Amino acid sequence: MINPMNFRKYQERLQLFTQEHPRVFPFLQDVAEHAIEPGSVIEMTVTTPAGRKYISNIRVNEDDVETIRMAKDASGKN
């Protein structure tokens, strides 16, 4: 069971993140609605202040699509 005080802290941090990076969640929602299908490739790149890059990707499969659908249903954002 989640500690209610910790849950409140998480909510506050998520709200702060959303305020500081307002384009992230609309982008993720748009991608989830229109681009996640078997065969799509999701790639992430992180660049450190020193210029070092970390890159990874996955090719979406049927199980991934179902997992994302379940997460959307659980969040109530259909």
Side-chain angles (χ1 to χ4, degrees):
M1 178 120 199
I2 296 177
N3 178 324
M5 291 304 293
N6 286 342
F7 183 72
R8 179 137 171 84
K9 288 179 191 176
Y10 297 138
Q11 279 186 309
E12 290 170 359
R13 295 308 297 182
L14 185 59
Q15 183 178 10
L16 179 62
F17 183 88
T18 301
Q19 289 171 352
E20 292 181 352
H21 309 285
R23 296 183 296 173
V24 171
F25 288 109
F27 170 78
L28 293 175
Q29 184 176 3
D30 191 42
V31 168
E33 289 177 11
H34 303 288
I36 300 298
E37 59 185 88
S40 295
V41 175
I42 298 172
E43 183 170 282
M44 294 178 280
T45 302
V46 176
T47 305
T48 68
R52 173 145 171 123
K53 290 187 182 238
Y54 296 84
I55 302 170
S56 184
N57 65 57
I58 63 167
R59 184 169 305 277
V60 176
N61 63 37
E62 291 285 345
D63 291 331
D64 302 326
V65 172
E66 179 64 13
T67 300
I68 292 167
R69 185 197 63 76
M70 290 173 67
K72 284 172 46 179
D73 289 349
S75 72
K77 297 187 178 186
N78 296 330

